[in-house]
């Protein structure tokens, strides 16, 4: 077999890359190791309105669970405050999705654009010629197949095998990966239009817990922990005891929080999504970033094939463009993620006490300085993380 582009991974990054490469007229094959695209669920399923602008598709009621208008932040003390709209760094208006349906629908859109798809297929090695990646060797339903391609796009998730095969540095340190667990639960009495974020060393050490409503009393309840003595599922099981609700699904996994790889391309290869570390380090969100970078990878692939140049020098365009689009945001997020990791429960309690019941947009600089004069390390967070419109 011979294609212009082979995309390894059939989730968001892979389907988006395939979609835009196919729209550009390329012959594209997308390979997915699982027998069904979209399962298991690998995130809390919330994203922003901008995701659909990037994809150039209209959101569909097929996979939209509920509209999100803002976030309720809870301190260990139980005090909480609400941030509406797009005023909290990293959290914006949008939707909670049914990812099983959304991911598959995006793959369907890619197929409609011309992408060939092979499920239940695992890449065993890369094909190289004169140092350039030019295809893959894969196992499909028990048979080994050689698939040649001018470009390979690696969208194969955390600890990408493809990037590592290509010689790119992909190894994350243990302390850079949040261990996550999530239940989908039925019988939750919560506001269907607001996400909940809970902080506290006893709730989610080094991370946070989320409750994302999906409508009709259904919600995702999950958490991520870093360097915790106990497992993520231990902390999650402890937290959900307070609810009279029933779990109907459990998902466990990891999220890279160290920021992107140093280099996300080589001759004949580009790396996208979790595989490239393009996840927001502060909140773990990855859907919008992944589709943005996936689109860039697909469009750069089109340009490279048209110009008959798939060299490392040419494909650097991909890295230049995605870093221009989200690089500064990821750097800022990583900086504040490190600050948040060092906050104590008392710090979160002080923030919640100050912000509870207030309209975040209307808080004056003077009132911040007056209240937090004994907590100078929190002033920076209020001015920069909570994007106050002064």
């Amino acid at each position: 077999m011979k294609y212009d582009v082979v995309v390894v991974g059939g989730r968001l990054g892979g389907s988006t890359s395939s979609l835009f490469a196919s729209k550009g007229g390329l012959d594209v094959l997308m390979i997915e190791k699982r027998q069904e695209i979209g399962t298991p669920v690998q995130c809390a399923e919330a994203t922003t309105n901008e995701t659909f602008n990037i994809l150039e598709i209209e959101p569909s009621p097929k996979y939209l669970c509920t509209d999100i208008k803002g976030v309720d932040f809870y301190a260990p003390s139980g005090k909480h405050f609400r941030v509406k709209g797009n005023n909290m760094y990293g959290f914006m208006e949008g939707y909670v999705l049914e990812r099983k349906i959304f991911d598959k629908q995006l793959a369907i859109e890619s197929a409609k654009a011309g992408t060939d798809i092979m499920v239940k297929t695992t890449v065993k090695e890369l094909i190289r010629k004169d140092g350039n990646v030019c295809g893959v060797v894969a196992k499909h339903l028990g048979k080994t197949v050689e698939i040649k391609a001018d470009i390979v796009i690696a969208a194969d998730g955390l600890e990408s095998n493809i990037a590592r095969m290509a010689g790119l540095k992909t190894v994350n340190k243990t302390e850079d990966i949040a261990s996550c667990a999530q239940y989908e639960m039925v019988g939750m009495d919560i506001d269907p239009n607001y996400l909940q974020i809970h902080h506290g060393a006893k709730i989610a050490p080094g991370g946070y817990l989320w409750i994302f409503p999906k409508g009709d009393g259904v919600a995702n309840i999950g958490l991520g922990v870093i360097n915790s003595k106990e497992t993520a599922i231990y902390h999650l099981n402890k937290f959900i005891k307070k609810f009279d609700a029933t779990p109907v699904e459990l998902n466990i996994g990891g999220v890279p929080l160290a920021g992107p790889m140093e280099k996300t391309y080589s001759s004949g290869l580009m790396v996208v999504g979790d595989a490239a570390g393009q996840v927001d380090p502060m909140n773990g969100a990855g859907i919008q970033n992944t589709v943005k970078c996936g689109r860039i990878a697909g469009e750069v692939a089109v340009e490279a094939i048209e110009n008959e140049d798939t060299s490392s020098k040419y494909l650097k365009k991909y890295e230049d463009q995605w870093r221009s689009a989200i690089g500064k945001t990821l750097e800022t997020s990583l900086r504040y993620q490190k600050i948040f990791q060092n906050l104590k429960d008392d710090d979160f309690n002080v923030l919640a006490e100050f912000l509870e019941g207030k309209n975040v947009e209307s808080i004056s600089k003077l009132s911040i300085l007056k209240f937090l004069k004994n907590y100078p390390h929190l002033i920076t967070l209020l001015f920069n993380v909570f994007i106050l419109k002064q």
Side-chain angles (χ1 to χ4, degrees), residues 40 42 52 55-56 86-87 96 102 118 122 157-158 172 181 202 255 264 269 288 307 323 327 341 349 369 371 378:
Q42 296 178 320
F52 296 93
L55 291 170
E56 296 181 347
N86 299 331
N87 299 304
V96 174
F102 176 65
M118 292 174 65
T122 304
L158 181 65
N172 288 287
K202 293 182 179 180
V255 176
T264 58
L269 180 82
Q288 180 177 311
N307 286 283
R323 286 191 185 276
Q341 279 192 343
N349 292 335
L369 294 171
F371 185 84
L378 299 182

Side-chain angles (χ1 to χ4, degrees), residues 32 117-122 138-145:
E32 168 56 40
I117 299 175
M118 292 174 65
V119 295
K120 201 67 174 176
T121 304
T122 304
K139 195 167 186 177
H140 174 64
L141 300 177
K143 295 182 179 180
T144 299
V145 292

Side-chain angles (χ1 to χ4, degrees), residues 197-369:
I197 300 294
H198 296 252
H199 290 283
K202 293 182 179 180
I203 295 174
Y208 68 86
L209 179 142
W210 61 84
I211 303 178
F212 286 7
K214 299 182 74 172
D216 198 25
V218 179
N220 288 329
I221 304 181
L223 54 77
V225 298
I226 300 175
N227 295 327
S228 171
K229 293 181 180 179
E230 306 290 349
T231 63
I233 190 64
Y234 167 85
H235 291 286
L236 184 56
N237 283 335
K238 184 178 177 182
F239 185 85
I240 66 171
K241 289 179 179 178
K242 66 178 70 177
F243 299 108
D244 182 19
T246 302
V248 294
E249 185 174 329
L250 169 64
N251 292 290
I252 296 174
V255 176
L257 299 178
M261 294 165 50
E262 293 179 8
K263 184 180 178 185
T264 58
Y265 67 96
S266 66
S267 293
L269 180 82
M270 292 179 279
V271 190
V272 170
D274 281 10
Q278 291 162 335
V279 175
D280 190 299
M282 193 169 83
N283 57 39
I287 295 177
Q288 180 177 311
N289 285 351
T290 295
V291 298
K292 183 171 289 186
C293 296
R295 174 170 179 168
I296 293 170
E299 292 176 338
V300 169
V302 172
E303 295 173 10
I305 299 298
E306 288 178 346
N307 286 283
E308 299 182 351
D309 187 352
T310 61
S311 67
S312 178
K313 183 178 180 180
Y314 193 94
L315 295 185
K316 184 178 182 294
K317 284 188 174 184
Y318 162 64
E319 179 147 318
D320 290 343
Q321 289 181 26
W322 78 252
R323 286 191 185 276
S324 176
I326 66 170
K328 289 184 178 179
T329 299
L330 292 182
E331 288 176 7
T332 301
S333 181
L334 183 60
R335 193 160 61 246
Y336 286 117
Q337 182 247 21
K338 294 182 183 301
I339 293 175
F340 266 94
Q341 279 192 343
N342 291 322
L343 292 183
K344 307 298 183 184
D345 282 4
D346 286 346
D347 295 324
F348 288 113
N349 292 335
V350 167
L351 284 171
E353 181 182 348
F354 174 63
L355 294 171
E356 188 174 38
K358 291 184 173 66
N359 181 345
V360 175
E361 292 185 60
S362 64
I363 300 174
S364 68
K365 293 180 180 180
L366 181 61
S367 64
I368 293 174
L369 294 171

